[in-house]
Amino acid sequence: MQVLVRDNSGDQALRVLKKKLQREGIFCEMRMREAFEKPWVKRAREKAEAVSRQRKNARKQMQREGLPPSKPKKSR
């Protein structure tokens, strides 16, 4: 990963680097690796992530087809 430093502004280059790392998901990965994650917690997290991806793909597909976005259901 490369960040160009312009006019010796290290602060601006650092902000750009942090933004790039955030987009890549590096910070989330570091946070997850800080401590041991029990296997059942890992399975539950991965399953929730898969459901979230599926819903996101379904929303995008509906938008491409021209259907109005559905309102999220209220949780109790």
Side-chain angles (χ1 to χ4, degrees):
M1 189 170 295
Q2 244 180 0
V3 176
L4 298 175
V5 180
R6 299 181 191 152
D7 302 327
N8 287 333
S9 68
D11 293 334
Q12 186 179 9
L14 188 60
R15 279 196 305 264
V16 171
L17 176 64
K18 283 184 179 180
K19 192 178 287 187
K20 283 186 177 186
L21 291 174
Q22 183 70 31
R23 274 194 221 126
E24 293 291 324
I26 303 291
F27 289 131
C28 290
E29 184 77 21
M30 285 177 12
R31 237 179 279 121
M32 286 191 324
R33 290 176 184 251
E34 279 179 358
F36 177 75
E37 188 176 24
K38 291 183 180 179
W40 69 270
V41 174
K42 183 177 180 180
R43 280 193 302 270
R45 178 182 50 79
E46 288 175 348
K47 187 174 180 178
E49 288 172 356
V51 168
S52 176
R53 274 194 310 273
Q54 252 184 338
R55 287 183 181 158
K56 183 177 179 181
N57 288 336
R59 274 195 311 271
K60 284 185 177 184
Q61 183 67 29
M62 286 175 61
Q63 277 184 337
R64 278 188 237 124
E65 293 173 358
L67 297 173
S70 62
K71 295 181 181 178
K73 294 180 182 177
K74 292 183 180 179
S75 61
R76 294 183 182 193

